[in-house]
PDB file of all heavy atoms in Angstrom:
ATOM      1  N   GLY A 291       0.865  -1.229  -0.019  1.00 77.00           N
ATOM      2  CA  GLY A 291      -0.024  -0.003   0.014  1.00 77.00           C
ATOM      3  C   GLY A 291       0.857   1.256   0.018  1.00 77.00           C
ATOM      4  O   GLY A 291       1.733   1.291  -0.783  1.00 77.00           O
ATOM      5  N   GLU A 292       0.601   2.143   0.952  1.00 79.00           N
ATOM      6  CA  GLU A 292       1.477   3.344   1.068  1.00 79.00           C
ATOM      7  C   GLU A 292       2.595   3.173   2.017  1.00 79.00           C
ATOM      8  O   GLU A 292       3.378   4.109   2.145  1.00 79.00           O
ATOM      9  CB  GLU A 292       0.568   4.503   1.577  1.00 79.00           C
ATOM     10  CG  GLU A 292      -0.589   4.858   0.745  1.00 79.00           C
ATOM     11  CD  GLU A 292      -0.131   5.421  -0.621  1.00 79.00           C
ATOM     12  OE1 GLU A 292       0.794   6.185  -0.589  1.00 79.00           O
ATOM     13  OE2 GLU A 292      -0.731   5.081  -1.681  1.00 79.00           O
ATOM     14  N   GLN A 293       2.766   1.949   2.565  1.00 83.00           N
ATOM     15  CA  GLN A 293       3.783   1.816   3.611  1.00 83.00           C
ATOM     16  C   GLN A 293       5.009   0.956   3.011  1.00 83.00           C
ATOM     17  O   GLN A 293       4.794   0.111   2.214  1.00 83.00           O
ATOM     18  CB  GLN A 293       3.138   0.998   4.767  1.00 83.00           C
ATOM     19  CG  GLN A 293       3.957   0.953   6.010  1.00 83.00           C
ATOM     20  CD  GLN A 293       3.183   0.277   7.158  1.00 83.00           C
ATOM     21  OE1 GLN A 293       2.429  -0.688   6.884  1.00 83.00           O
ATOM     22  NE2 GLN A 293       3.446   0.727   8.318  1.00 83.00           N
ATOM     23  N   THR A 294       6.190   1.298   3.581  1.00 84.00           N
ATOM     24  CA  THR A 294       7.424   0.598   3.207  1.00 84.00           C
ATOM     25  C   THR A 294       7.594  -0.407   4.344  1.00 84.00           C
ATOM     26  O   THR A 294       7.750  -0.076   5.479  1.00 84.00           O
ATOM     27  CB  THR A 294       8.600   1.520   3.006  1.00 84.00           C
ATOM     28  OG1 THR A 294       8.282   2.469   2.018  1.00 84.00           O
ATOM     29  CG2 THR A 294       9.824   0.700   2.645  1.00 84.00           C
ATOM     30  N   LEU A 295       7.898  -1.665   3.925  1.00 86.00           N
ATOM     31  CA  LEU A 295       8.211  -2.736   4.939  1.00 86.00           C
ATOM     32  C   LEU A 295       9.620  -3.238   4.667  1.00 86.00           C
ATOM     33  O   LEU A 295      10.130  -3.177   3.490  1.00 86.00           O
ATOM     34  CB  LEU A 295       7.238  -3.855   4.884  1.00 86.00           C
ATOM     35  CG  LEU A 295       5.755  -3.566   5.088  1.00 86.00           C
ATOM     36  CD1 LEU A 295       4.893  -4.774   5.079  1.00 86.00           C
ATOM     37  CD2 LEU A 295       5.562  -2.841   6.404  1.00 86.00           C
ATOM     38  N   PHE A 296      10.282  -3.763   5.715  1.00 86.00           N
ATOM     39  CA  PHE A 296      11.607  -4.226   5.622  1.00 86.00           C
ATOM     40  C   PHE A 296      11.727  -5.612   6.186  1.00 86.00           C
ATOM     41  O   PHE A 296      11.224  -5.894   7.256  1.00 86.00           O
ATOM     42  CB  PHE A 296      12.647  -3.319   6.378  1.00 86.00           C
ATOM     43  CG  PHE A 296      12.593  -1.871   6.008  1.00 86.00           C
ATOM     44  CD1 PHE A 296      11.858  -0.957   6.675  1.00 86.00           C
ATOM     45  CD2 PHE A 296      13.344  -1.497   4.956  1.00 86.00           C
ATOM     46  CE1 PHE A 296      11.776   0.375   6.263  1.00 86.00           C
ATOM     47  CE2 PHE A 296      13.327  -0.140   4.576  1.00 86.00           C
ATOM     48  CZ  PHE A 296      12.483   0.767   5.178  1.00 86.00           C
ATOM     49  N   LEU A 297      12.171  -6.547   5.326  1.00 85.00           N
ATOM     50  CA  LEU A 297      12.459  -7.931   5.825  1.00 85.00           C
ATOM     51  C   LEU A 297      13.925  -8.107   6.185  1.00 85.00           C
ATOM     52  O   LEU A 297      14.737  -7.930   5.292  1.00 85.00           O
ATOM     53  CB  LEU A 297      12.033  -8.927   4.726  1.00 85.00           C
ATOM     54  CG  LEU A 297      12.025 -10.392   5.153  1.00 85.00           C
ATOM     55  CD1 LEU A 297      10.833 -10.694   6.114  1.00 85.00           C
ATOM     56  CD2 LEU A 297      11.849 -11.307   3.891  1.00 85.00           C
ATOM     57  N   LEU A 298      14.148  -8.346   7.553  1.00 87.00           N
ATOM     58  CA  LEU A 298      15.531  -8.408   7.978  1.00 87.00           C
ATOM     59  C   LEU A 298      15.859  -9.831   8.225  1.00 87.00           C
ATOM     60  O   LEU A 298      15.201 -10.489   9.089  1.00 87.00           O
ATOM     61  CB  LEU A 298      15.747  -7.502   9.215  1.00 87.00           C
ATOM     62  CG  LEU A 298      15.253  -6.096   9.206  1.00 87.00           C
ATOM     63  CD1 LEU A 298      15.587  -5.397  10.433  1.00 87.00           C
ATOM     64  CD2 LEU A 298      15.944  -5.321   8.025  1.00 87.00           C
ATOM     65  N   GLN A 299      16.796 -10.344   7.709  1.00 83.00           N
ATOM     66  CA  GLN A 299      17.345 -11.758   7.896  1.00 83.00           C
ATOM     67  C   GLN A 299      18.695 -11.754   8.499  1.00 83.00           C
ATOM     68  O   GLN A 299      19.643 -11.249   7.778  1.00 83.00           O
ATOM     69  CB  GLN A 299      17.228 -12.547   6.547  1.00 83.00           C
ATOM     70  CG  GLN A 299      15.946 -12.635   5.932  1.00 83.00           C
ATOM     71  CD  GLN A 299      15.859 -13.603   4.752  1.00 83.00           C
ATOM     72  OE1 GLN A 299      16.181 -14.828   4.953  1.00 83.00           O
ATOM     73  NE2 GLN A 299      15.636 -13.145   3.584  1.00 83.00           N
ATOM     74  N   MET A 300      18.869 -12.192   9.601  1.00 82.00           N
ATOM     75  CA  MET A 300      20.177 -12.278  10.354  1.00 82.00           C
ATOM     76  C   MET A 300      20.967 -13.507   9.777  1.00 82.00           C
ATOM     77  O   MET A 300      20.641 -14.676  10.294  1.00 82.00           O
ATOM     78  CB  MET A 300      20.072 -12.311  11.817  1.00 82.00           C
ATOM     79  CG  MET A 300      19.586 -11.019  12.461  1.00 82.00           C
ATOM     80  SD  MET A 300      17.957 -10.509  11.948  1.00 82.00           S
ATOM     81  CE  MET A 300      17.682  -9.022  12.826  1.00 82.00           C
ATOM     82  N   LEU A 301      22.022 -13.284   9.044  1.00 70.00           N
ATOM     83  CA  LEU A 301      22.717 -14.394   8.330  1.00 70.00           C
ATOM     84  C   LEU A 301      23.795 -15.001   9.164  1.00 70.00           C
ATOM     85  O   LEU A 301      24.216 -16.152   8.845  1.00 70.00           O
ATOM     86  CB  LEU A 301      23.218 -13.900   7.013  1.00 70.00           C
ATOM     87  CG  LEU A 301      22.191 -13.368   5.999  1.00 70.00           C
ATOM     88  CD1 LEU A 301      22.895 -12.947   4.780  1.00 70.00           C
ATOM     89  CD2 LEU A 301      21.095 -14.363   5.719  1.00 70.00           C
ATOM     90  N   GLY A 302      24.182 -14.346  10.184  1.00 63.00           N
ATOM     91  CA  GLY A 302      25.236 -14.929  11.026  1.00 63.00           C
ATOM     92  C   GLY A 302      26.111 -13.901  11.674  1.00 63.00           C
ATOM     93  O   GLY A 302      26.073 -12.686  11.234  1.00 63.00           O
ATOM     94  N   GLU A 303      26.841 -14.263  12.654  1.00 61.00           N
ATOM     95  CA  GLU A 303      27.807 -13.284  13.297  1.00 61.00           C
ATOM     96  C   GLU A 303      28.950 -12.868  12.359  1.00 61.00           C
ATOM     97  O   GLU A 303      29.423 -13.744  11.533  1.00 61.00           O
ATOM     98  CB  GLU A 303      28.389 -13.934  14.628  1.00 61.00           C
ATOM     99  CG  GLU A 303      27.302 -14.162  15.686  1.00 61.00           C
ATOM    100  CD  GLU A 303      27.946 -14.626  17.000  1.00 61.00           C
ATOM    101  OE1 GLU A 303      29.002 -14.102  17.331  1.00 61.00           O
ATOM    102  OE2 GLU A 303      27.316 -15.562  17.557  1.00 61.00           O
ATOM    103  N   VAL A 304      29.383 -11.736  12.567  1.00 54.00           N
ATOM    104  CA  VAL A 304      30.659 -11.262  11.811  1.00 54.00           C
ATOM    105  C   VAL A 304      31.840 -12.023  12.304  1.00 54.00           C
ATOM    106  O   VAL A 304      32.026 -11.962  13.563  1.00 54.00           O
ATOM    107  CB  VAL A 304      30.772  -9.727  11.954  1.00 54.00           C
ATOM    108  CG1 VAL A 304      32.063  -9.259  11.184  1.00 54.00           C
ATOM    109  CG2 VAL A 304      29.559  -9.054  11.328  1.00 54.00           C
ATOM    110  N   ALA A 305      32.587 -12.707  11.510  1.00 46.00           N
ATOM    111  CA  ALA A 305      33.624 -13.562  11.984  1.00 46.00           C
ATOM    112  C   ALA A 305      34.886 -12.777  12.443  1.00 46.00           C
ATOM    113  O   ALA A 305      34.995 -11.586  11.967  1.00 46.00           O
ATOM    114  CB  ALA A 305      34.071 -14.518  10.960  1.00 46.00           C
ATOM    115  N   ASN A 306      35.682 -13.366  13.182  1.00 48.00           N
ATOM    116  CA  ASN A 306      36.992 -12.732  13.697  1.00 48.00           C
ATOM    117  C   ASN A 306      37.987 -12.886  12.526  1.00 48.00           C
ATOM    118  O   ASN A 306      37.724 -13.554  11.529  1.00 48.00           O
ATOM    119  CB  ASN A 306      37.443 -13.233  15.027  1.00 48.00           C
ATOM    120  CG  ASN A 306      37.655 -14.640  15.008  1.00 48.00           C
ATOM    121  OD1 ASN A 306      38.177 -15.297  13.988  1.00 48.00           O
ATOM    122  ND2 ASN A 306      37.349 -15.386  16.022  1.00 48.00           N
ATOM    123  N   ALA A 307      39.225 -12.300  12.660  1.00 44.00           N
ATOM    124  CA  ALA A 307      40.187 -12.298  11.677  1.00 44.00           C
ATOM    125  C   ALA A 307      40.643 -13.705  11.262  1.00 44.00           C
ATOM    126  O   ALA A 307      40.882 -14.036  10.113  1.00 44.00           O
ATOM    127  CB  ALA A 307      41.384 -11.429  12.171  1.00 44.00           C
ATOM    128  N   ASP A 308      40.813 -14.561  12.306  1.00 48.00           N
ATOM    129  CA  ASP A 308      41.209 -15.948  12.037  1.00 48.00           C
ATOM    130  C   ASP A 308      40.268 -16.753  11.187  1.00 48.00           C
ATOM    131  O   ASP A 308      40.552 -17.400  10.259  1.00 48.00           O
ATOM    132  CB  ASP A 308      41.526 -16.774  13.323  1.00 48.00           C
ATOM    133  CG  ASP A 308      42.789 -16.144  14.087  1.00 48.00           C
ATOM    134  OD1 ASP A 308      43.624 -15.555  13.344  1.00 48.00           O
ATOM    135  OD2 ASP A 308      42.917 -16.380  15.283  1.00 48.00           O
ATOM    136  N   ALA A 309      39.056 -16.510  11.575  1.00 43.00           N
ATOM    137  CA  ALA A 309      37.858 -17.147  10.805  1.00 43.00           C
ATOM    138  C   ALA A 309      37.822 -16.629   9.404  1.00 43.00           C
ATOM    139  O   ALA A 309      37.578 -17.449   8.519  1.00 43.00           O
ATOM    140  CB  ALA A 309      36.596 -16.988  11.608  1.00 43.00           C
ATOM    141  N   VAL A 310      38.028 -15.314   9.290  1.00 39.00           N
ATOM    142  CA  VAL A 310      38.070 -14.817   7.892  1.00 39.00           C
ATOM    143  C   VAL A 310      39.148 -15.308   7.036  1.00 39.00           C
ATOM    144  O   VAL A 310      38.825 -15.677   5.799  1.00 39.00           O
ATOM    145  CB  VAL A 310      38.114 -13.157   8.035  1.00 39.00           C
ATOM    146  CG1 VAL A 310      38.293 -12.704   6.628  1.00 39.00           C
ATOM    147  CG2 VAL A 310      36.938 -12.571   8.664  1.00 39.00           C
ATOM    148  N   ALA A 311      40.331 -15.481   7.577  1.00 48.00           N
ATOM    149  CA  ALA A 311      41.416 -16.090   6.834  1.00 48.00           C
ATOM    150  C   ALA A 311      41.151 -17.491   6.441  1.00 48.00           C
ATOM    151  O   ALA A 311      41.414 -17.849   5.292  1.00 48.00           O
ATOM    152  CB  ALA A 311      42.672 -15.914   7.685  1.00 48.00           C
ATOM    153  N   ALA A 312      40.584 -18.277   7.305  1.00 48.00           N
ATOM    154  CA  ALA A 312      40.282 -19.655   7.024  1.00 48.00           C
ATOM    155  C   ALA A 312      39.238 -19.680   6.025  1.00 48.00           C
ATOM    156  O   ALA A 312      39.242 -20.576   5.069  1.00 48.00           O
ATOM    157  CB  ALA A 312      39.804 -20.413   8.311  1.00 48.00           C
ATOM    158  N   GLN A 313      38.262 -18.945   6.082  1.00 42.00           N
ATOM    159  CA  GLN A 313      37.127 -18.870   5.058  1.00 42.00           C
ATOM    160  C   GLN A 313      37.682 -18.439   3.750  1.00 42.00           C
ATOM    161  O   GLN A 313      37.300 -19.021   2.693  1.00 42.00           O
ATOM    162  CB  GLN A 313      36.046 -17.905   5.564  1.00 42.00           C
ATOM    163  CG  GLN A 313      34.843 -17.851   4.661  1.00 42.00           C
ATOM    164  CD  GLN A 313      34.082 -19.174   4.634  1.00 42.00           C
ATOM    165  OE1 GLN A 313      34.170 -19.980   5.621  1.00 42.00           O
ATOM    166  NE2 GLN A 313      33.278 -19.401   3.537  1.00 42.00           N
ATOM    167  N   LYS A 314      38.554 -17.423   3.699  1.00 45.00           N
ATOM    168  CA  LYS A 314      39.168 -17.058   2.325  1.00 45.00           C
ATOM    169  C   LYS A 314      39.944 -18.145   1.786  1.00 45.00           C
ATOM    170  O   LYS A 314      39.901 -18.266   0.519  1.00 45.00           O
ATOM    171  CB  LYS A 314      40.088 -15.823   2.625  1.00 45.00           C
ATOM    172  CG  LYS A 314      40.652 -15.299   1.330  1.00 45.00           C
ATOM    173  CD  LYS A 314      41.556 -14.039   1.565  1.00 45.00           C
ATOM    174  CE  LYS A 314      42.069 -13.472   0.302  1.00 45.00           C
ATOM    175  NZ  LYS A 314      42.723 -14.414  -0.563  1.00 45.00           N
ATOM    176  N   GLN A 315      40.711 -18.969   2.567  1.00 56.00           N
ATOM    177  CA  GLN A 315      41.472 -20.078   1.987  1.00 56.00           C
ATOM    178  C   GLN A 315      40.517 -21.088   1.373  1.00 56.00           C
ATOM    179  O   GLN A 315      40.757 -21.644   0.281  1.00 56.00           O
ATOM    180  CB  GLN A 315      42.213 -20.740   3.108  1.00 56.00           C
ATOM    181  CG  GLN A 315      43.160 -21.750   2.585  1.00 56.00           C
ATOM    182  CD  GLN A 315      44.110 -22.327   3.634  1.00 56.00           C
ATOM    183  OE1 GLN A 315      43.773 -22.295   4.833  1.00 56.00           O
ATOM    184  NE2 GLN A 315      45.150 -22.953   3.298  1.00 56.00           N
ATOM    185  N   LYS A 316      39.374 -21.406   2.079  1.00 49.00           N
ATOM    186  CA  LYS A 316      38.397 -22.348   1.446  1.00 49.00           C
ATOM    187  C   LYS A 316      37.753 -21.754   0.231  1.00 49.00           C
ATOM    188  O   LYS A 316      37.548 -22.418  -0.795  1.00 49.00           O
ATOM    189  CB  LYS A 316      37.256 -22.535   2.539  1.00 49.00           C
ATOM    190  CG  LYS A 316      37.613 -23.370   3.772  1.00 49.00           C
ATOM    191  CD  LYS A 316      36.542 -23.397   4.757  1.00 49.00           C
ATOM    192  CE  LYS A 316      36.918 -24.149   6.013  1.00 49.00           C
ATOM    193  NZ  LYS A 316      35.840 -24.255   7.011  1.00 49.00           N
ATOM    194  N   LEU A 317      37.490 -20.434   0.232  1.00 45.00           N
ATOM    195  CA  LEU A 317      36.880 -19.839  -0.907  1.00 45.00           C
ATOM    196  C   LEU A 317      37.855 -19.802  -2.107  1.00 45.00           C
ATOM    197  O   LEU A 317      37.460 -20.006  -3.296  1.00 45.00           O
ATOM    198  CB  LEU A 317      36.515 -18.363  -0.659  1.00 45.00           C
ATOM    199  CG  LEU A 317      35.767 -17.542  -1.780  1.00 45.00           C
ATOM    200  CD1 LEU A 317      34.580 -18.270  -2.261  1.00 45.00           C
ATOM    201  CD2 LEU A 317      35.545 -16.103  -1.364  1.00 45.00           C
ATOM    202  N   ASP A 318      39.186 -19.573  -1.906  1.00 53.00           N
ATOM    203  CA  ASP A 318      40.127 -19.610  -2.998  1.00 53.00           C
ATOM    204  C   ASP A 318      40.170 -21.001  -3.626  1.00 53.00           C
ATOM    205  O   ASP A 318      40.277 -21.100  -4.823  1.00 53.00           O
ATOM    206  CB  ASP A 318      41.566 -19.277  -2.444  1.00 53.00           C
ATOM    207  CG  ASP A 318      41.647 -17.735  -2.095  1.00 53.00           C
ATOM    208  OD1 ASP A 318      40.817 -16.988  -2.631  1.00 53.00           O
ATOM    209  OD2 ASP A 318      42.475 -17.373  -1.396  1.00 53.00           O
TER     210      ASP A 318
END
């Protein structure tokens, strides 16, 4: 209608630096 709605989905916690490095290695 005249209203704006927002659907918020919490996908997960922001990882720390070690977790980011490990994830990058897997992604590579």
Side-chain angles (χ1 to χ4, degrees):
E292 298 296 321
Q293 196 174 32
T294 301
L295 301 182
F296 304 93
L297 190 69
L298 308 183
Q299 301 188 60
M300 289 64 177
L301 303 180
E303 295 184 41
V304 177
N306 57 38
D308 291 338
V310 169
Q313 184 66 22
K314 184 179 183 304
Q315 186 176 19
K316 293 178 183 177
L317 181 59
D318 287 342

